[in-house]
Amino acid sequence: MSLKRDLPTSTMSGFALSGILVLTLLNILLQNMPNSIQTAGNELLKLNANEGVANAVTAVVVYFRGFDTLGEIAVLFIASLGLGLMLNSNTKCDIKAESNFMLQTASRLLFPIILLFGIYVMIYGHLSPGGGFQGGVIIASAVLLLLISHKEFEVPHAVIIALETFAGVSYVLIGLVGLLVLDTFLGNFLPHDISQMGLLLSGGIIPLIYIIVGIKVGSEMSMIAQNLIKRSNDV
Amino acid sequence: MIGFIILVTFIGIVIVAFSAVIQKKLADSVILLMGVGLGSVVLFFIFKAPDVALTEAVIGSGISSLIFLMALKHLDEKV
């Protein structure tokens, strides 16, 4: 009954029509796909072995498409900046009620574990699934847990500014050193021998860049969470 | 067996996504959207994309749902 009232027949038939159109398009695309597209991944995997990084996705994200990652970091920075401008958090806490006793105790227990897991995902990004983006957001979710459980907790502003500036500047500096040494921006100028593959210290600059990305994403997402939770009431 | 898991997860995702659309309260929709994210984490993991699965688990069903809930809380105060 209520389903029919919420979604009239025209909407339902629109859904069904668009679904059939997408399926037809996918069918045509899959049948007319040239064979060369399907082997593009193999070429990248062959190139990946030169960099000495066990996780092929990390090699693509940080090395082959390193400049794109710099752009993504810039986009996230601009988003965080805009949110900070719109919702400045100089006034008092927005949450009125005291949080639950269970939440407070559990957050004290869970915060170091989540933080440690985030740092692990960040540092081992070139060996196992994960990396800077995921690790940074895990760290930010640990900070978010503290923010919703402890009313008086605030992310230290000076530390965030220092971390973010350090991360952004060092990303560009590593790229410029690669430009000087190897004539390519973000060139892998540190030793990255294939025999070292699978060790923690392998892959040259790739783990360094992923740790920098993790620091930047973590601090930016923490600031976004704090701005959303503790914003001034008169915006 | 693995095909059965894929099929059940896929049908579950479609059902949860559809029920997220027809919910009256927006907060319920956000919770069901979290369920869609969790189902796609399982699918990504089965189809051998653990990086994407980790990203979806952290961002898709973790942070973004909390940001949605925070925005809904502010909307409730205003409206």
Side-chain angles (χ1 to χ4, degrees):
Chain A
M1 269 316 176
S2 68
L3 187 66
K4 191 161 183 180
R5 197 181 62 237
D6 290 338
L7 293 169
T9 321
S10 55
T11 317
M12 297 286 277
S13 51
F15 274 150
L17 194 65
S18 49
I20 291 170
L21 276 178
V22 167
L23 279 183
T24 319
L25 193 65
L26 272 182
N27 201 9
I28 292 170
L29 277 179
L30 280 178
Q31 276 174 359
N32 297 332
M33 183 182 278
N35 288 324
S36 58
I37 289 180
Q38 292 162 5
T39 58
N42 297 339
E43 301 293 326
L44 273 180
L45 280 179
K46 272 178 211 155
L47 271 176
N48 169 48
N50 295 333
E51 298 305 321
V53 170
N55 187 359
V57 180
T58 299
V60 172
V61 169
V62 177
Y63 189 64
F64 302 132
R65 298 284 176 269
F67 197 64
D68 293 13
T69 308
L70 187 57
E72 285 169 24
I73 297 292
V75 167
L76 194 63
F77 172 68
I78 292 168
S80 166
L81 189 73
L83 211 65
L85 279 176
M86 282 177 66
L87 314 166
N88 59 345
S89 61
N90 286 327
T91 48
K92 61 187 188 317
C93 178
D94 197 20
I95 299 172
K96 279 117 190 163
E98 191 77 24
S99 61
N100 196 349
F101 164 73
M102 282 304 289
L103 181 61
Q104 286 189 5
T105 314
S107 72
R108 251 178 255 138
L109 180 69
L110 280 177
F111 174 73
I113 301 174
I114 300 177
L115 197 67
L116 190 66
F117 180 62
I119 292 171
Y120 163 77
V121 166
M122 197 168 94
I123 291 178
Y124 280 73
H126 59 303
L127 302 178
S128 57
F133 287 102
Q134 293 93 329
V137 179
I138 291 172
I139 291 173
S141 68
V143 174
L144 185 65
L145 185 65
L146 270 195
L147 277 173
I148 60 175
S149 62
H150 290 74
K151 259 174 86 172
E152 68 281 358
F153 177 75
E154 275 197 22
V155 183
H157 228 280
V159 176
I160 294 289
I161 289 173
L163 279 177
E164 204 167 350
T165 316
F166 162 75
V169 169
S170 48
Y171 196 132
V172 179
L173 274 184
I174 286 177
L176 286 179
V177 172
L179 187 62
L180 282 179
V181 177
L182 292 176
D183 284 344
T184 43
F185 189 69
L186 286 170
N188 202 343
F189 58 89
L190 288 176
H192 50 279
D193 197 43
I194 184 79
S195 62
Q196 304 287 312
M197 186 189 263
L199 296 182
L200 186 57
L201 289 175
S202 66
I205 62 165
I206 291 175
L208 276 183
I209 286 182
Y210 237 8
I211 290 171
I212 286 168
V213 169
I215 293 172
K216 199 155 170 60
V217 171
S219 52
E220 274 161 7
M221 292 302 287
S222 309
M223 272 326 274
I224 287 177
Q226 196 197 17
N227 282 331
L228 276 175
I229 289 177
K230 305 185 175 184
R231 52 137 217 188
S232 60
N233 283 320
D234 49 31
V235 171
Chain B
M1 184 60 199
I2 204 86
F4 182 69
I5 295 175
I6 291 172
L7 198 66
V8 167
T9 318
F10 193 75
I11 293 171
I13 287 176
V14 172
I15 291 172
V16 171
F18 196 76
S19 54
V21 176
I22 62 172
Q23 286 300 316
K24 279 278 183 290
K25 289 173 68 179
L26 280 175
D28 295 349
S29 294
V30 173
I31 303 286
L32 286 169
L33 209 61
M34 220 186 267
V36 174
L38 283 181
S40 41
V41 167
V42 174
L43 281 188
F44 286 141
F45 194 76
I46 289 173
F47 288 121
K48 293 177 182 168
D51 291 84
V52 188
L54 199 54
T55 314
E56 176 70 32
V58 173
I59 297 175
S61 33
I63 286 276
S64 71
S65 311
L66 279 162
I67 287 177
F68 272 135
L69 287 177
M70 286 300 155
L72 282 181
K73 192 172 73 70
H74 290 318
L75 277 180
D76 279 346
E77 283 172 5
K78 287 291 162 197
V79 177

